[in-house]
Amino acid sequence: MASNTMAGLITGSHSHFSNDSDEHRPPIRQPSSKVCRVCGDDIGYKEDGELFVACHVCGFPVCRPCYEYERSEGSQCCPQCNTRYKRHKGSPRVIGDEEDNFDADDFDDEFQIKSRHDETDKQHDVNHMDTGDSNHHQWQPNGQAFSTAGSVAGKDFEGDKEFYSNAEWKERVEKWKVRQEKRGLVSKDEGKDDQGEEDDYFLAEARQPLWRKVPIPSNLINPYRIVIVMRLIILMFFFRFRILTPAYDAFPLWLISVICEIWFALSWILDQFPKWFPITRETYLDRLSIRYERAGEPNRLAPVDVFVSTVDPLKEPPIITANTVLSILSVDYPVEKVSCYVSDDGASMLLFDTLSETAEFARRWVPFCKKYNIEPRAPEFYFSEKIDYLKDKVEASFVKERRAMKREYEEFKVKINALVAKAQKKPEEGWVMQDGTPWPGNNTRDHPGMIQVYLGSGGALDVEGKELPRLVYMSREKRPGYQHHKKAGAMNALVRVSAVLTNAPFMLNLDCDHYINNSKAVREAMCFLMDPQLRKKICYVQFPQRFDGIDRHDRYANRNTVFFDINMKGLDGIQGPVYVGTGTVFNRQALYGYDPPVSEKRPKMTCDCWPSWCCCCCGGSRKSKSKKSSGRGIFSKLYSKKKKMMGKNYVRKGSGPVFNLEEIEEGLEGYDELEKSSLMSQKNFEKRFGQSPVFIASTLMEDGGLPEGINNQSLIKEAIHVISCGYEEKNEWGKEIGWIYGSVTEDILTGFKMHCRGWKSVYCMPKRAAFKGSAPINLSDRLHQVLRWALGSVEICLSRHCPLWYGYGGKLKWLERLAYTNTIVYPFTSIPLLAYCVIPAVCLLTGKFIIPTLTNFASVWFMALFISIILTGVLELRWSGVSITDWWRNEQFWVIGGVSAHLFAVFQGLLKVLAGVDTNFTVTAKAAEDAEFGELYLFKWTTLLIPPTTLIILNMVGVVAGISDAINNGSGSWGPLFGKLFFSFWVIVHLYPFLKGLMGRQNRTPTIVVLWSILLASIFSLIWVRIDPFLPKQTGPILKQCGVDC
């Protein structure tokens, strides 16, 4: 074990903490003052001493700099009521002011430019309040938002200046001065020094929004929407024709085809309309740094806990997990605000020793990354990049240190590979730790909880003497007879452990094979989660998944580009993207089952000029309202406390420790009777969160932090307690709190529950991919991955959480509900898709067709439908930027997965949910070749390969039979044949990547696949030949031989 391990491995089992009288004093809400809802600063006063009011219609609080910025570079409208801002006295004119009434008295004032310092001196003192406590209402006119914005610079504030030369920096400040002079914020005659100008520049930048929405240009999105509406109208006329003109000679085939086409149309609607409002977002990392990392002040960036989950290190290589951990430890974020938790659900000593070696190597790797600002910060992928690593690296020592670091990493890999080789054969007596004690996880299904803190304690410094982020190993307790809920249960254990040990307000969830590719990814997420206007309404920030090691052609659509670059952008314009299981930064309070804050309603406008009796007639006076509210003040506080515990519409409190451990243990002592009656209801906390006083106290700290007066040893013991296998009994973990149980795709279910409560999510796509992972690139593994996803969707569809009937009393938007409905019903499309792929072969074998002879008018609707389908795809690619190759691969794999993995998932899900039979499709791997993308040609036998192979052979036989029949019957039969051949070739072309993967690099296919496929296709073909042969049937009496030789 490495020398930097700060404490021995701590295990525990069945520990119990009695807290029969664990009560808390309700927190008191701090008084609020007028602050800007955009930047969070004080609004300030005008020259006449009155409070500055930007909008005279609704009075939405906005400070003067934000008002000026919005008028000059924004939408010129109030973010709440969307009324155009009128020009205030002393404000420079902008385009559109000509429409307002011209005030001759104010003409000279627009040239009287004031200094920023003069304005600051005239502002009155106001009480400050945490901007996060106010319930900001973000109004979005026409799908757009007021200060909505993405990543233009990824440098710290001070580093931003160093990045430019003196001439470039001076030019940048001069450009800013010109803009400020045009806005009337800086005087031309002021004789400030350079430092003062830079300070003004920084202050102005700090006031600007941290992000903004970038809507799709209207010339790209409007034609797309028009074609969608046209396609919908064409579909109506198409189905009218199909239903009213049946093919009587092939009525069963016609009926099946019409049913399939109707299902396809409904699926298209579910998939298409959630993409009606696509948007992109930009973040401003320099503004985030200016606002929360000011020189000479404590760093105010929010802490982040990073979760990495793994199960079996023999299937998930430890070197990959180590690279993920190293990329986390070297992230560009304050080290004291980053904690990495690794969950080992297999209780493997191999991973435990790997993390010990990783912690030792991090002492040299982390300072190297930060010194030279390298990307990515996972050593395996950094050293394997085929780029000019000397680009932008001017330090003479870089080459020398890079070579030394590469040698050290190779030695590190040798150590890890030695540990893997040692773990291949388990000793009969079990694993033994370095101190001679048996490894507690020798029995992976019956072991105590284990926690080991490697880094983050006193003395754990890097080679330069600087502090390192905290690294924690965790393996939750497992006992026979308990349900452990796989990954969802492990993630919930990570939530509780991190809440007890560090309690950061935000959590980043990563798979063990997804490393941080952009060291500023956490800062990208903080631009949304720390935004004063949006932060209290966001449940998570989702990043797109990007992958390494995929072949250039992406034969099986592993990149999922269409989903991540089209569908997710569309959802971002509604209520937010779905949770995809990794690359997500969560708001901890959203995972605790709380509702988002309710926006405060504007008070109704009243007039003092009317008599009091008129006010009574119109709904009551203001005095009676204030009297009523003051009379029930204390009861409203207690009621809001109860609402908070029940997870209802609760407005969150400020930061800081609300309860310490002593208060929790003292119970009800020291409270009066009225408070005691309310605190008795706090037993609901235990029913909701479990019996841990420290964890319950942490749930009440919105901005994170730990209870006061607790030492580290007691925290470790409490952490062992919250990962015990019986902790989740008789509480709401997995039901309403944390990751939701009930499906193998717990990610969809968890995000769906949050959106039903009214939370919003955000999709962040920085220019440099935030995270990268590995994806299965061979056919069999890819199909099994899709099978798992589809099975989870079927489980959700057959559960009480199905979007078709769940959460209608909540705050889920209708287009968001359509999107979630599409995510859980898409596997059922496999049944009509399979039937539709069989129909062309049947038509060719029987000589019949699903469509009667077309008239000229009817053929117009067919042509219009095909043209609208093509136009929809072209225009979608145009606004999204997705390549036509990625789009076509996605279409092909939709058919391949639909007739194989999705089909098996439907039947497996029905058996599992209705009959309780859990069927698994195992994969047997063969050795792959040692070459680039060698795994692409690796073949693994699985039953999922039979249906698509059968379809290919069946359609090929149909094509041969149809052409042979046309040759025999003359030229008159060639016309109807072309329609049948078109549909058959449509099936073959979509299944071509499957056929290519099936044949492999050397065109060798296992005998069992060929035998089963030919057998099924031959039987099917012979049955149809027997029922309806090519020869014309006889009509009239049946003639038999009489037996007489004539």
Side-chain angles (χ1 to χ4, degrees), residues 834 838 896 898-901 903-904 942-954 991 994 1013 1016:
L834 180 66
V838 172
I896 296 172
V899 298
S900 56
L903 183 68
F904 278 75
T942 170
T943 51
L944 299 177
L945 302 177
I946 294 178
T949 308
T950 305
L951 282 177
I952 291 177
I953 296 176
L954 195 61
L991 293 176
F994 172 85
S1013 301
L1016 292 176

Side-chain angles (χ1 to χ4, degrees), residues 224-236 239 260-276 567 815 818-819 821-822 825-826 829 865 868-873 876 887 891 894:
Y224 176 67
R225 292 169 177 167
I226 292 172
V227 170
I228 291 174
V229 174
M230 291 176 56
R231 181 173 172 181
L232 195 61
I233 296 173
I234 293 171
L235 273 174
M236 295 178 183
F239 283 121
C260 293
E261 289 164 0
I262 292 175
W263 181 271
F264 294 152
L266 294 175
S267 299
W268 172 76
I269 291 173
L270 291 177
D271 178 69
Q272 189 68 66
F273 281 91
K275 296 184 282 189
W276 191 264
N567 295 70
L815 287 179
L818 284 182
T821 302
N822 185 48
V825 301
Y826 78 89
T829 306
L865 180 61
S868 66
I869 292 174
I870 294 172
L871 282 178
T872 305
E876 195 169 77
W887 179 83
E891 293 295 312
W894 175 73

Side-chain angles (χ1 to χ4, degrees), residues 664-871:
I664 296 172
E665 294 175 349
E666 286 174 3
L668 300 177
E669 296 179 5
Y671 298 123
D672 57 30
E673 292 299 323
L674 183 60
E675 291 175 328
K676 190 178 297 185
S677 63
S678 172
L679 291 172
M680 288 298 292
S681 64
Q682 291 187 13
K683 288 292 182 181
N684 293 329
F685 275 117
E686 294 182 3
K687 295 179 181 178
R688 185 174 179 83
F689 296 111
Q691 296 187 356
S692 172
V694 177
F695 177 75
I696 291 175
S698 70
T699 64
L700 302 175
M701 301 175 186
E702 184 182 6
D703 290 337
L706 297 174
E708 297 178 355
I710 304 181
N711 57 37
N712 291 334
Q713 195 65 24
S714 61
L715 287 179
I716 293 292
K717 291 181 180 179
E718 191 72 11
I720 290 292
H721 168 58
V722 298
I723 60 173
S724 60
C725 54
Y727 183 84
E728 294 183 355
E729 291 185 344
K730 298 180 180 180
N731 53 51
E732 297 185 7
W733 281 101
K735 304 180 185 69
E736 299 294 333
I737 301 174
W739 272 255
I740 307 301
Y741 304 150
S743 171
V744 294
T745 52
E746 69 289 328
D747 45 6
I748 295 178
L749 201 52
T750 303
F752 175 63
K753 294 276 284 188
M754 293 182 186
H755 283 135
C756 285
R757 295 190 186 101
W759 290 95
K760 296 179 181 179
S761 56
V762 167
Y763 195 52
C764 182
M765 295 182 64
K767 293 181 180 179
R768 179 180 177 87
F771 310 100
K772 280 191 176 182
S774 57
I777 63 173
N778 70 75
L779 179 60
S780 303
D781 287 349
R782 173 66 168 148
L783 289 177
H784 273 269
Q785 182 188 54
V786 174
L787 170 65
R788 179 182 175 275
W789 295 343
L791 176 59
S793 296
V794 173
E795 290 175 341
I796 297 174
C797 184
L798 301 178
S799 70
R800 72 181 186 92
H801 291 116
C802 178
L804 291 171
W805 52 73
Y806 181 82
Y808 276 95
K811 302 172 184 177
L812 187 68
K813 295 185 179 180
W814 280 99
L815 287 179
E816 194 82 9
R817 184 179 295 278
L818 284 182
Y820 273 109
T821 302
N822 185 48
T823 61
I824 58 101
V825 301
Y826 78 89
F828 295 94
T829 306
S830 60
I831 298 175
L833 182 61
L834 180 66
Y836 212 70
C837 289
V838 172
I839 287 176
V842 175
C843 291
L844 287 168
L845 290 173
T846 60
K848 299 176 181 179
F849 199 40
I850 58 176
I851 302 174
T853 304
L854 293 177
T855 62
N856 292 334
F857 181 74
S859 61
V860 171
W861 296 116
F862 278 85
M863 292 299 297
L865 180 61
F866 283 116
I867 292 174
S868 66
I869 292 174
I870 294 172
L871 282 178

Side-chain angles (χ1 to χ4, degrees), residues 56-349:
H56 292 292
V57 176
C58 66
F60 186 72
V62 175
C63 65
R64 183 126 194 177
C66 293
Y67 159 80
E68 299 285 3
Y69 178 82
E70 182 63 22
R71 273 175 46 86
S72 61
E73 298 186 14
S75 63
Q76 302 183 3
C77 297
C78 173
Q80 176 163 283
C81 66
N82 204 33
T83 304
R84 187 181 182 278
Y85 277 137
K86 291 187 176 181
R87 188 175 71 87
H88 285 266
K89 187 174 181 180
S91 298
R93 291 186 179 274
V94 297
I95 298 176
D97 285 345
E98 296 80 9
E99 303 171 4
D100 299 336
N101 294 330
F102 178 73
D103 188 0
D105 295 336
D106 191 37
F107 181 76
D108 294 333
D109 290 330
E110 68 176 294
F111 298 102
Q112 297 176 3
I113 302 173
K114 300 290 181 181
S115 168
R116 293 180 55 88
H117 296 293
D118 295 340
E119 291 179 359
T120 306
D121 295 338
K122 292 184 178 181
Q123 291 182 355
H124 292 252
D125 293 336
V126 293
N127 294 328
H128 288 273
M129 179 189 68
D130 183 6
T131 56
D133 292 339
S134 55
N135 301 307
H136 305 300
H137 179 69
Q138 184 183 11
W139 192 83
Q140 301 181 356
N142 301 325
Q144 302 179 14
F146 171 64
S147 67
T148 42
S151 168
V152 292
K155 302 173 179 56
D156 292 336
F157 180 59
E158 294 297 332
D160 199 18
K161 179 178 178 181
E162 296 175 358
F163 180 76
Y164 296 94
S165 63
N166 293 334
E168 291 173 340
W169 179 256
K170 189 174 182 180
E171 181 182 359
R172 187 177 180 187
V173 175
E174 287 298 327
K175 289 181 179 179
W176 170 81
K177 286 177 62 180
V178 172
R179 291 198 305 268
Q180 296 300 90
E181 290 170 0
K182 290 180 179 179
R183 299 176 196 171
L185 299 177
V186 176
S187 174
K188 295 181 180 179
D189 300 330
E190 288 180 338
K192 295 184 179 180
D193 56 6
D194 294 339
Q195 185 62 39
E197 292 171 355
E198 293 179 7
D199 292 341
D200 283 348
Y201 169 74
F202 294 150
L203 288 173
E205 285 293 304
R207 286 177 174 270
Q208 305 309 321
L210 300 177
W211 61 278
R212 71 183 182 95
K213 283 182 183 177
V214 183
I216 306 298
S218 58
N219 63 330
L220 298 179
I221 195 64
N222 287 341
Y224 176 67
R225 292 169 177 167
I226 292 172
V227 170
I228 291 174
V229 174
M230 291 176 56
R231 181 173 172 181
L232 195 61
I233 296 173
I234 293 171
L235 273 174
M236 295 178 183
F237 285 98
F238 172 79
F239 283 121
R240 179 179 180 275
F241 166 77
R242 291 284 282 130
I243 294 172
L244 295 181
T245 56
Y248 292 104
D249 59 336
F251 190 82
L253 293 178
W254 168 83
L255 182 61
I256 293 174
S257 65
V258 170
I259 293 174
C260 293
E261 289 164 0
I262 292 175
W263 181 271
F264 294 152
L266 294 175
S267 299
W268 172 76
I269 291 173
L270 291 177
D271 178 69
Q272 189 68 66
F273 281 91
K275 296 184 282 189
W276 191 264
F277 301 107
I279 62 170
T280 56
R281 300 178 190 263
E282 291 182 353
T283 54
Y284 296 106
L285 301 185
D286 49 352
R287 295 176 183 175
L288 177 76
S289 182
I290 294 170
R291 183 176 296 185
Y292 295 106
E293 296 181 293
R294 295 178 180 176
E297 298 181 8
N299 193 301
R300 295 190 295 125
L301 288 175
V304 178
D305 290 337
V306 186
F307 300 157
V308 179
S309 57
T310 180
V311 179
D312 187 353
L314 295 179
K315 294 181 179 179
E316 299 165 332
I319 191 64
I320 300 299
T321 304
N323 272 270
T324 301
V325 172
L326 289 170
S327 69
I328 295 170
L329 297 178
S330 56
V331 70
D332 184 5
Y333 209 72
V335 292
E336 70 277 6
K337 296 180 181 290
V338 178
S339 300
C340 178
Y341 292 84
V342 181
S343 170
D344 179 15
D345 230 26
S348 170
M349 188 172 171

Side-chain angles (χ1 to χ4, degrees), residues 444-465:
T444 57
R445 297 184 180 181
D446 186 3
H447 64 82
M450 295 178 283
I451 293 178
Q452 172 70 57
V453 180
Y454 291 99
L455 300 174
S457 303
L461 306 177
D462 61 23
V463 292
E464 296 181 356

Side-chain angles (χ1 to χ4, degrees), residues 615-666:
C615 296
C616 294
C617 296
C618 295
S621 66
R622 289 170 291 174
K623 291 183 179 180
S624 63
K625 291 182 181 179
S626 62
K627 187 180 296 183
K628 187 185 296 184
S629 62
S630 63
R632 61 185 183 92
I634 189 168
F635 290 97
S636 65
K637 291 181 181 178
L638 296 177
Y639 180 63
S640 66
K641 177 66 178 176
K642 183 176 180 180
K643 285 170 69 179
K644 174 191 180 224
M645 290 185 292
M646 300 309 293
K648 300 300 179 185
N649 298 334
Y650 168 68
V651 182
R652 298 293 306 165
K653 273 71 175 175
S655 61
V658 182
F659 305 106
N660 57 35
L661 193 60
E662 289 76 7
E663 283 181 322
I664 296 172
E665 294 175 349
E666 286 174 3

